[in-house]
Amino acid sequence: MNAPKAKAKLHVKTGDIVVVISGKDKGTQGKIQKAFPATGRVVVEGVALVKRHQKPRGQGMPGGIITKEAAIPASKVKLVCPACKEPTRTGHAFIEIEGKLKKVRVCKRKNCGAQIDQ
């Protein structure tokens, strides 16, 4: 009998600004449009563009060759810190909000330590 798989975690979330650290789009910055924790992949705006041949699907939907973003491994992107504007690793800290502890991501760069989640 197969045991259920544990939910995978990613170091980035939908809406984060990231920079690609390897591959043909190395150095490109973009916003994460979609994250797939189960497969460990993310779709980044303007990165890994592929062409798809699409048939018309009903009235008002044109067919043809369309360009769209493909998913890339999440390990190939690095989060850009909103405070220091540099690619960074992330750590976690607990802050108190209205008497409750909340886990937030923080910048690991030297002399920064800014809070990434609001």
Side-chain angles (χ1 to χ4, degrees):
M1 179 171 246
N2 292 339
K5 290 186 178 178
K7 185 178 176 188
K9 291 279 216 169
L10 295 178
H11 65 288
V12 289
K13 298 179 181 178
T14 303
D16 285 345
I17 303 295
V18 296
V19 64
V20 180
I21 58 173
S22 69
K24 69 174 186 169
D25 293 311
K26 181 177 180 176
T28 308
Q29 275 196 10
K31 191 176 195 177
I32 293 189
Q33 294 179 331
K34 202 165 186 180
F36 303 100
T39 58
R41 298 176 83 81
V42 293
V43 176
V44 181
E45 188 177 292
V47 175
L49 297 174
V50 294
K51 297 213 183 255
R52 291 286 177 247
H53 297 262
Q54 184 169 328
K55 278 176 85 168
R57 301 274 181 207
Q59 213 165 6
M61 291 284 294
I65 301 172
I66 60 167
T67 304
K68 61 189 240 180
E69 291 96 359
I72 61 172
S75 62
K76 301 297 181 190
V77 298
K78 211 170 198 184
L79 184 67
V80 175
C81 175
C84 63
K85 306 287 189 237
E86 294 289 331
T88 182
R89 293 175 296 121
T90 56
H92 292 92
F94 290 93
I95 61 168
E96 190 169 338
I97 299 175
E98 300 172 6
K100 294 185 178 180
L101 287 178
K102 183 178 178 192
K103 187 176 180 180
V104 294
R105 294 179 295 169
V106 293
C107 178
K108 295 281 279 186
R109 285 185 69 85
K110 190 174 181 180
N111 300 327
C112 183
Q115 182 178 321
I116 295 168
D117 297 324
Q118 303 309 341

